[in-house]
Amino acid sequence: MVSAIRFWFKAFGLTENDMLTELAHLVFTDDGGFDRFLEDTNTLWLLHYNLTNYGIASIYRLLFLEYQREHKEFDRESLQQFIKRKCSVPEQKNVYNENTVKKDINVLLQTYVAPTSLKSLEDFSALLIALNLIRSNSTENKGISYNFNEISSDAVAPEIILYSLIDIKGEDNTVSFDKLKELSLIFCMPLTELIEAIRRIEAKGRYSIHYTDNSGIKNVQFTRTLNKYDVLRDYYQAI
C-alpha cells in the first residue's frame, strides 16, 4: 500500500525523490493549499496533464498520446495488443507481462470511465471520471468498447492551458506545432479548440505569449519568462 501511494504521488507530479513538489505545496498542503479537497475540476485537469505527460505510469501516455492519434475507439483487447507491440523491444526481455498490463488497463478505465451501474457508490469516486474523457459503449455484437470524448476549450481554465504550455516548452521560448498537437491529445481537445484557448490567453495581454501562423508554420512564442506556479496562483486566487 505504501509503495502504491508513493508511486501515484510521483506519477501525478506531487513528489520527486520522495519530497513534495511545489505543485503539491501550492494545491494540497494544510497550510495554505488552494484546493486541498479536490473540489475544483481544474485541479483534476492538472493531475491528468501530469499523469499523461510525464509518463511515470506509462500506459496513460501510450493511450492518450499514441493510441489516440490513430484510434478514437478501442476495447480492452485492442489496447492490450497495442501495449504489447510497444513493449516488443528486441534488446530488452521481460518488459511485457500480460497479467500486469491487464490489471493496469482495468485501473486506467476505472480512473476515467463513469460506471454504468449503481451497484457500488465507490465506483463513482474514481479520481478523474469527472473529466469525462473516456466513455463506454455497449452493444450485443461488439460487447463493451470505449471512445475518447472531445473536450471544448471552455472546459479547461485558460491558466491550466498556459501552465501546460510553460511546462511542455521547457527552457525554450517557443512551443512547436508538434508540442501543440501533443497538448491537444492530452486534453482530448481538437487542435482548433486548443488554439482558440491560446488566442484567448493572448488577448488578455497579461502573459506575453503570441500564437503565430506564418507560411503554415504554427507555434506559440513566449516573449518573457513565466513561472508556471505563478500562473496557477493567479488562477486559484481569482476563483
Side-chain angles (χ1 to χ4, degrees), residues 218-236:
K218 303 176 176 68
N219 57 43
V220 174
Q221 299 281 341
F222 284 77
T223 57
R224 66 181 174 90
T225 300
L226 294 176
N227 184 296
K228 61 185 179 182
Y229 300 112
D230 288 341
V231 171
L232 289 184
R233 288 186 185 90
D234 288 346
Y235 168 73
Y236 283 113

Side-chain angles (χ1 to χ4, degrees), residues 35 38-46 130-131 155 235:
D35 190 19
L38 278 175
E39 297 173 301
D40 189 335
T41 302
N42 281 293
T43 303
L44 299 180
W45 281 115
L46 274 176
L131 301 182
Y235 168 73

Side-chain angles (χ1 to χ4, degrees), residues 96-133:
Y96 176 82
N97 182 289
E98 185 169 348
N99 290 330
T100 299
V101 172
K102 185 177 294 186
K103 291 176 182 177
D104 288 345
I105 290 173
N106 287 338
V107 171
L108 184 153
L109 293 174
Q110 289 170 3
T111 299
Y112 284 99
V113 181
T116 56
S117 170
L118 296 176
K119 291 181 180 179
S120 174
L121 292 177
E122 289 184 1
D123 292 340
F124 288 86
S125 64
L127 186 59
L128 300 177
I129 60 173
L131 301 182
N132 195 29
L133 289 175

Side-chain angles (χ1 to χ4, degrees), residues 50-211:
N50 284 347
L51 176 64
T52 307
N53 184 55
Y54 295 156
I56 304 298
S58 57
I59 70 167
Y60 293 78
R61 183 173 177 86
L62 284 172
L63 175 64
F64 283 96
L65 279 175
E66 297 196 37
Y67 194 88
Q68 189 187 179
R69 288 181 191 272
E70 301 177 4
H71 308 278
K72 293 300 179 183
E73 187 174 346
F74 65 95
D75 56 32
R76 292 171 186 260
E77 182 177 351
S78 63
L79 179 57
Q80 179 132 2
Q81 290 303 312
F82 173 78
I83 295 170
K84 183 177 182 179
R85 290 195 300 273
K86 285 292 180 179
C87 291
S88 297
V89 182
E91 60 271 16
Q92 296 184 31
K93 296 182 178 180
N94 302 320
V95 173
Y96 176 82
N97 182 289
E98 185 169 348
N99 290 330
T100 299
V101 172
K102 185 177 294 186
K103 291 176 182 177
D104 288 345
I105 290 173
N106 287 338
V107 171
L108 184 153
L109 293 174
Q110 289 170 3
T111 299
Y112 284 99
V113 181
T116 56
S117 170
L118 296 176
K119 291 181 180 179
S120 174
L121 292 177
E122 289 184 1
D123 292 340
F124 288 86
S125 64
L127 186 59
L128 300 177
I129 60 173
L131 301 182
N132 195 29
L133 289 175
I134 301 175
R135 292 178 175 176
S136 63
N137 307 295
S138 180
T139 62
E140 289 186 8
N141 295 331
K142 294 185 178 181
I144 299 176
S145 63
Y146 304 89
N147 66 277
F148 296 99
N149 185 38
E150 287 191 346
I151 301 298
S152 66
S153 59
D154 57 6
V156 187
E159 291 84 358
I160 305 303
I161 299 293
L162 181 55
Y163 169 94
S164 67
L165 287 168
I166 297 169
D167 183 73
I168 206 169
K169 77 178 181 63
E171 299 297 321
D172 296 331
N173 293 321
T174 301
V175 182
S176 68
F177 187 58
D178 286 342
K179 291 293 186 182
L180 293 178
K181 288 192 289 186
E182 283 189 11
L183 284 181
S184 74
L185 290 168
I186 288 174
F187 290 111
C188 290
M189 187 180 293
L191 189 57
T192 53
E193 288 285 314
L194 177 65
I195 291 171
E196 177 61 29
I198 293 169
R199 289 190 182 279
R200 288 202 294 268
I201 299 169
E202 181 181 5
K204 289 184 176 182
R206 179 179 183 182
Y207 292 113
S208 300
I209 74 166
H210 302 284
Y211 173 75

